Amino acid sequence: CAVPPARLGAYLRDFRALLTAHGLRGTPYGHFGDGCVHVRIDFDLLSEAGVARFRRFSEELADVVVAHGGSLSGEHGDGQARAELLPKMYGDELVALFGRAKGIWDPDDLLNPGVLVRPAPLDTNLRFAVLPREPVPVAFGYPADGGDFSAAVRRCVGVAKCRTTGPSGASVMCPSFRATGEEEHSTRGRARLLHEMLAGELVTDGWRSTEVRDALDLCLSCKGCRSDCPVGVDMATYKAEFLHQHYAGRRRPAAHYSMGWLPRWLRLAARTRTAAVVNALASVRPLAALAKRLGGIAPERRIPRLAAEPFSRWERRRQRGRLRAWRAQARAGRLPDLPGRMAFLWPDTFTEHLSPQVGRAAVRVLEAAGVGVVQLPARRWKTRRSDDGGPAGYGMSLLNPRRTRACCGLTYLSTGQLDRARAVLRETLDLLEPFLLLERESDEFTYPPPFVVLEPSCAAALRADLPELLADDPRAARLAARVLTFAEALARLAPDWSPPRLERPVTGQTHCHQHAVLGDAPDRRLREAAALTGDLVGGCCGLAGNFGFEKGHFEVSKACAEEQLLPAVRAAEPGTVVLADGFSCRTQLEQLAGVQGRHLAEVLAEGLEGEGK
């Protein structure tokens, strides 16, 4: 609404009094200089009582606007929301004249029926009236929305911050829209399609909808909207939910099996010690092309090489050497040199099988900072139960030969295989249960040690997706609370440690999930302490886990990288360190620009070697 600018102060006082009288809250914004007031009010448009209050407030507000000599449509048209109130402003006789004029030129009422004359009541055809009244069955818990997927979708109010056409500082949202320029590939457009799917009027086949599937296909699951959207729409979670429901009981795309099950395939290669064979076969072009075609992988992509030795195998050898040293110290009558602070280093799939050098570097830095690194167990514990069925103690089961691995379930989450993700995460919680349910903290030690996760996307999955997917398991929240990034671990466990001063410029990109879920303040402080100068750019690298490897996604993936990351790397001075903590980011840099990205742990470890520490 709008009033003459000279009446704005008096109008706003009456307007706020009306809000208070109805128990409503409203946030006004622009354009006060013209006497035009936009306002977003917390109407309840879901219950009958709330809709009735909306009608009463609208009628009384119209009286206030007219009393101040104002207009019900200060900037936009009257439409269905205001047309019923126009007699308050123009009078019944003039509105009847409007109707007669329309009748002459539009006798069949074909043009905008019910929008200006002979309007429908203002409290009909409301946006939420067609949505399900009861929460639909879903896999995620949606704790911020009361477990209601409809409420999660209703978060989008159409502000359109996701429709930015150029990079904006450190923000990420929404890379697919900037790459395509299409509304359906914006966060807002996807939320609207999910709304229509739930409403069932235009999108009539529910979770099986091909329209919704196609719109979500180019969502990178970067989670940028989780933090950059003013109302916290989390389209990555909605996409995982949709894919889970869409493919329930059906055959999935090949990429969901080749890359969604990546932890399984890489563990198989490690157990059979066939990494060298796999690398050799992948280097034969016809075989690689066949494998990519069968696996739904973009033909433009190169298959990453597997590490000759997984990180955990190296770590076991190192731990055996440490135990021998401790035994020798004990035989010599000396107490073992135990660190004051301990931490588990999480062997995520990418560090374990594809970039173990990052894990080795992290161990080097953490131990130089006085933090002892502990290897995660590989076998389930034998649990002793109390009379009430709760855990009373734990012991290593020597009769259980089956080895297992802690896993964040990221690849299953990103491909919407939520049943499999839930099973993997429960197995992880079973494996780590003694370190989650038995806690004790003092000035000397912390039990259990925190879990340091080097891959940002895996850390984000454990901290955000795990407790939302297993909301009924208290161990999930406990594990999420103990997950630390590399920089967070150094800040918390070794606050007085000074990293080597490297005096080098850096460039690169903050990982999307780091930006959206974890935050990068500890990383920035660590870089500053190490004299690594320069800021990292925002946006998304475009690879985003399995997204950039899937067939049909290469051009969008490349466009995302060309937005901020690759121009920043090309413009960097010689000798600049290219930081990329995520395996996807490093792979994108290597395959599109021939540049080697480095994890911050690697850069600091090289600095320690240079100082001879």
Side-chain angles (χ1 to χ4, degrees):
C1 302
V3 298
R7 300 289 303 166
L8 181 62
Y11 167 71
L12 285 175
R13 286 189 287 274
D14 289 346
F15 173 71
R16 287 169 178 160
L18 189 62
L19 283 173
T20 301
H22 284 270
L24 295 167
R25 293 181 300 170
T27 302
Y29 54 100
H31 309 275
F32 283 11
D34 297 318
C36 180
V37 180
H38 290 271
V39 63
R40 192 167 292 283
I41 302 175
D42 63 337
F43 289 119
D44 168 19
L45 300 180
L46 296 174
S47 68
E48 291 184 8
V51 172
R53 181 168 61 168
F54 163 69
R55 166 173 275 280
R56 292 193 304 273
F57 177 86
S58 299
E59 292 172 342
E60 294 178 29
L61 177 60
D63 291 332
V64 172
V65 172
V66 171
H68 285 279
S71 168
L72 300 180
S73 49
E75 184 179 4
H76 301 288
D78 298 295
Q80 297 183 45
R82 298 181 177 90
E84 186 188 356
L85 303 172
L86 289 180
K88 293 179 179 288
M89 183 174 165
Y90 293 105
D92 292 331
E93 185 177 355
L94 188 54
V95 170
L97 184 59
F98 294 163
R100 289 169 56 191
K102 178 177 172 61
I104 293 173
W105 296 101
D106 183 20
D108 296 324
D109 203 24
L110 299 177
L111 306 178
N112 281 347
V115 171
L116 192 63
V117 301
R118 296 181 290 279
L122 62 87
D123 53 355
T124 59
N125 300 323
L126 295 179
R127 178 184 181 189
F128 302 141
V130 293
L131 292 179
R133 295 294 92 189
E134 299 295 330
V136 297
V138 286
F140 280 99
Y142 303 99
D145 298 292
D148 186 354
F149 183 69
S150 298
V153 171
R154 289 200 307 270
R155 281 177 172 268
C156 180
V157 292
V159 172
K161 189 178 179 181
C162 52
R163 287 177 51 89
T164 55
T165 56
S168 177
S171 65
V172 174
M173 180 182 72
C174 171
S176 56
F177 173 76
R178 290 196 296 272
T180 64
E182 298 290 339
E183 170 76 10
E184 69 174 310
H185 298 302
S186 69
T187 305
R188 183 178 76 169
R190 292 173 178 129
R192 184 65 196 182
L193 276 170
L194 287 168
H195 174 103
E196 297 296 348
M197 180 194 80
L198 294 172
E201 291 185 322
L202 299 177
V203 178
T204 57
D205 44 358
W207 294 110
R208 301 298 195 195
S209 167
T210 55
E211 299 97 335
V212 178
R213 182 200 63 200
D214 292 345
L216 289 171
D217 181 56
L218 293 186
C219 172
L220 283 77
S221 296
C222 65
K223 284 191 177 288
C225 48
R226 183 183 176 109
S227 61
D228 295 344
C229 173
V231 291
V233 171
D234 185 357
M235 195 53 64
T237 298
Y238 304 171
K239 177 182 179 179
E241 184 74 64
F242 177 83
L243 293 176
H244 168 70
Q245 306 283 353
H246 183 77
Y247 290 110
R250 305 164 73 189
R251 189 177 67 178
R252 290 173 163 271
H256 288 196
Y257 300 107
S258 62
M259 289 179 282
W261 292 9
L262 188 64
R264 176 181 294 185
W265 307 135
L266 294 182
R267 281 199 297 268
L268 179 62
R271 286 173 185 161
T272 56
R273 298 179 181 262
T274 54
V277 176
V278 172
N279 291 336
L281 294 175
S283 64
V284 179
R285 288 190 177 181
L287 294 179
L290 177 62
K292 287 186 282 188
R293 183 174 180 180
L294 294 176
I297 298 172
E300 299 91 343
R301 290 291 177 186
R302 298 193 303 274
I303 299 175
R305 293 181 61 82
L306 277 59
E309 181 183 50
F311 169 73
S312 60
R313 193 177 300 161
W314 172 85
E315 178 67 2
R316 283 197 300 271
R317 289 193 291 105
R318 192 183 71 93
Q319 295 287 3
R320 284 196 294 267
R322 170 177 290 176
L323 287 174
R324 285 195 294 269
W326 286 348
R327 292 193 191 102
Q329 290 173 343
R331 284 194 296 269
R334 293 188 293 112
L335 292 176
D337 298 326
L338 298 176
R341 293 284 179 176
M342 307 287 285
F344 287 113
L345 191 61
W346 191 278
D348 64 85
T349 296
F350 307 100
T351 302
E352 171 74 1
H353 300 286
L354 298 168
S355 54
Q357 71 277 6
V358 172
R360 295 194 293 267
V363 170
R364 175 83 172 90
V365 175
L366 288 169
E367 293 194 339
V371 179
V373 177
V374 186
Q375 189 174 20
L376 285 177
R379 289 185 175 88
R380 288 188 183 181
W381 298 80
K382 182 178 180 180
T383 307
R384 297 192 301 274
R385 299 288 177 184
S386 60
D387 294 338
D388 62 0
Y394 301 91
M396 183 63 74
S397 175
L398 299 178
L399 300 178
N400 182 11
R402 179 174 176 267
R403 298 181 68 87
T404 187
R405 284 286 171 201
C407 180
C408 69
L410 172 66
T411 58
Y412 303 107
L413 289 164
S414 63
T415 53
Q417 301 181 72
L418 300 187
D419 287 338
R420 180 60 186 163
R422 190 182 287 112
V424 166
L425 288 169
R426 287 202 190 280
E427 188 173 71
T428 295
L429 294 176
D430 291 342
L431 182 68
L432 303 179
E433 183 173 304
F435 307 106
L436 301 175
L437 299 185
L438 302 179
E439 293 191 15
R440 180 182 175 187
E441 294 199 20
S442 69
D443 293 335
E444 291 78 24
F445 67 93
T446 299
Y447 184 87
F451 301 92
V452 181
V453 186
L454 301 175
E455 176 63 38
S457 54
C458 294
L462 290 169
R463 194 176 286 181
D465 296 312
L466 166 62
E468 293 182 13
L469 190 61
L470 298 181
D472 59 336
D473 193 328
R475 301 175 301 174
R478 286 175 175 263
L479 175 54
R482 304 201 76 88
V483 168
L484 299 177
T485 66
F486 174 70
E488 287 174 339
L490 288 171
R492 184 176 303 183
L493 301 177
D496 299 326
W497 179 69
S498 297
R501 292 191 61 82
L502 303 175
E503 305 290 351
R504 295 184 66 183
V506 297
T507 189
Q509 190 170 57
T510 301
H511 194 285
C512 298
H513 291 189
Q514 181 109 28
H515 168 82
V517 178
L518 308 169
D520 67 337
D523 296 76
R524 284 187 275 109
R525 289 192 294 267
L526 182 57
R527 293 199 302 268
E528 182 180 357
L532 293 170
T533 58
D535 295 323
L536 307 188
V537 299
C540 178
C541 76
L543 193 62
N546 56 287
F547 174 85
F549 269 92
E550 290 186 13
K551 184 178 179 180
H553 291 174
F554 179 78
E555 292 302 326
V556 170
S557 174
K558 182 179 179 181
C560 293
E562 288 289 356
E563 184 183 42
Q564 291 198 67
L565 176 59
L566 296 186
V569 170
R570 295 187 189 111
E573 299 176 358
T576 299
V577 178
V578 180
L579 287 178
D581 281 1
F583 177 77
S584 292
C585 306
R586 296 193 296 273
T587 301
Q588 186 80 312
L589 284 165
E590 179 188 355
Q591 297 201 357
L592 295 186
V595 173
Q596 183 181 13
R598 314 297 303 281
H599 193 287
L600 182 56
E602 295 180 278
V603 178
L604 294 180
E606 289 182 359
L608 290 173
E609 292 173 2
E611 292 184 351
K613 293 184 179 179

